[in-house]
Amino acid sequence: MKLIKILFVWVIFLYCFIPNAIQAKTFNFSDWGVLLEKYVRPNKIDGILFNAVDYSELRLDGSFSKLVNNLTLYSPANLKSHEEKLAFWINVYNVFAVKIVADNYPVQSIKDIGGLFKSVWKLEAGIVGGKGYSLNEIEHQILRKMNEPRIHAAIVCASISCPDLSKDVFDSKNINKQLDSTMRSFLANSGKGMKVDAHGKRIFLSLIFDWFEEDFKISGGVLKFLEPYIPLNYQQVLKSRSPSISYLSYNWSLNGN
């Protein structure tokens, strides 16, 4: 009887004090949302509008350290649905991209991190559930295998020409609307997402759509996939003139203030 009482007390203790990140079926990214609201502001550099991160202040915020620590305790095995996994790993990629910059700040570009034999993309960026992950692993081995091309407008590699870092946390209930919104916003940014020349004969796209062209074949190719997301003022031009495709130069400068 005494042993049963001891076990009961121990179970209650674990339930009350074990970190919420472990107990929860889905990870709570509310701290991330607060950080985004606090440290992300619009900026313009080299004619490109983008959401800039205040890395100098964010890296000192205890909430960021808490968020990163909670991820080390959370098991992705808790994620069941496609939507849960998609939202979780997009958030994690963005958190870890910010983290690897914050850990090495100040830098002029995320590509300055790493070395000759191991690029920043292959370095361990953070830990989830006791396992270390690089940005490459999250992008190529997890997210791209989920056959969702819209991720390319949602994951942000801490550079000016990347899609903007959204100030909204991605969540499983709204993930489809959020991915539609991020793709539309990216294409609407003529400095880095998409633009059409004055005569409507040439369309300029982000190099992202060239690098990951393979991911859009499932939907009939890049332009076919992008049709629903293209700004209205361009849609008629594209349908009537069949412009050729070129690509915008990519600015790898840090998406900082």
Side-chain angles (χ1 to χ4, degrees):
M1 189 69 179
K2 184 176 180 181
L3 180 59
I4 293 175
K5 287 183 178 179
I6 292 173
L7 288 173
F8 178 78
V9 171
W10 181 243
V11 168
I12 295 298
F13 173 83
L14 287 176
Y15 180 81
C16 293
F17 294 100
I18 194 168
N20 290 335
I22 300 176
Q23 289 186 47
K25 290 183 179 180
T26 57
F27 187 82
N28 184 353
F29 280 102
S30 59
D31 283 344
W32 180 229
V34 172
L35 290 164
L36 290 169
E37 186 61 36
K38 192 173 181 180
Y39 297 112
V40 176
R41 294 287 181 272
N43 199 356
K44 187 175 184 179
I45 293 178
D46 296 334
I48 302 175
L49 292 169
F50 67 101
N51 279 352
V53 182
D54 187 348
Y55 290 100
S56 62
E57 293 296 326
L58 182 146
R59 68 194 183 100
L60 303 176
D61 195 310
S63 294
F64 188 59
S65 300
K66 175 187 172 185
L67 168 66
V68 170
N69 183 64
N70 283 342
L71 280 168
T72 69
L73 304 172
Y74 180 79
S75 172
N78 289 322
L79 303 166
K80 303 304 179 185
S81 71
H82 175 83
E83 291 76 15
E84 286 175 346
K85 295 171 185 176
L86 190 57
F88 175 81
W89 287 109
I90 290 173
N91 287 326
V92 170
Y93 182 98
N94 291 340
V95 169
F96 284 176
V98 168
K99 177 183 178 298
I100 204 165
V101 170
D103 288 346
N104 293 275
Y105 194 82
V107 290
Q108 297 299 311
S109 169
I110 190 172
K111 294 178 76 175
D112 293 339
I113 303 167
L116 182 62
F117 300 104
K118 201 167 189 179
S119 71
V120 63
W121 318 116
K122 295 182 179 180
L123 296 176
E124 182 179 294
I127 298 171
V128 177
K131 180 182 183 304
Y133 290 88
S134 68
L135 295 178
N136 259 8
E137 287 175 306
I138 297 172
E139 181 175 12
H140 301 296
Q141 297 180 26
I142 299 175
L143 284 171
R144 290 185 66 199
K145 289 185 177 181
M146 298 183 76
N147 296 320
E148 177 46 81
R150 290 175 298 176
I151 64 166
H152 296 300
I155 56 176
V156 185
C157 60
S159 303
I160 287 176
S161 284
C162 288
D164 280 340
L165 184 61
S166 175
K167 294 180 73 173
D168 294 321
V169 170
F170 290 92
D171 70 87
S172 60
K173 292 181 180 179
N174 299 299
I175 187 66
N176 280 303
K177 289 181 179 179
Q178 290 175 311
L179 290 176
D180 282 347
S181 178
T182 55
M183 183 60 76
R184 288 192 183 97
S185 295
F186 187 42
L187 293 177
N189 189 327
S190 60
K192 60 181 181 177
M194 171 186 171
K195 70 177 182 179
V196 176
D197 72 6
H199 304 289
K201 294 181 179 180
R202 187 175 297 276
I203 179 174
F204 295 85
L205 293 174
S206 167
L207 271 167
I208 288 172
F209 298 112
D210 183 36
W211 297 332
F212 300 106
E213 182 181 9
E214 184 73 22
D215 293 3
F216 296 90
K217 286 183 178 180
I218 192 173
S219 303
V222 172
L223 281 184
K224 184 67 176 176
F225 177 85
L226 294 180
E227 276 181 11
Y229 308 103
I230 290 173
L232 290 175
N233 58 317
Y234 289 156
Q235 286 184 7
Q236 191 57 43
V237 173
L238 298 183
K239 288 178 181 179
S240 62
R241 302 191 184 180
S242 300
S244 58
I245 300 176
S246 294
Y247 295 96
L248 299 163
S249 60
Y250 208 87
N251 190 329
W252 283 104
S253 297
L254 191 68
N255 64 339
N257 289 327

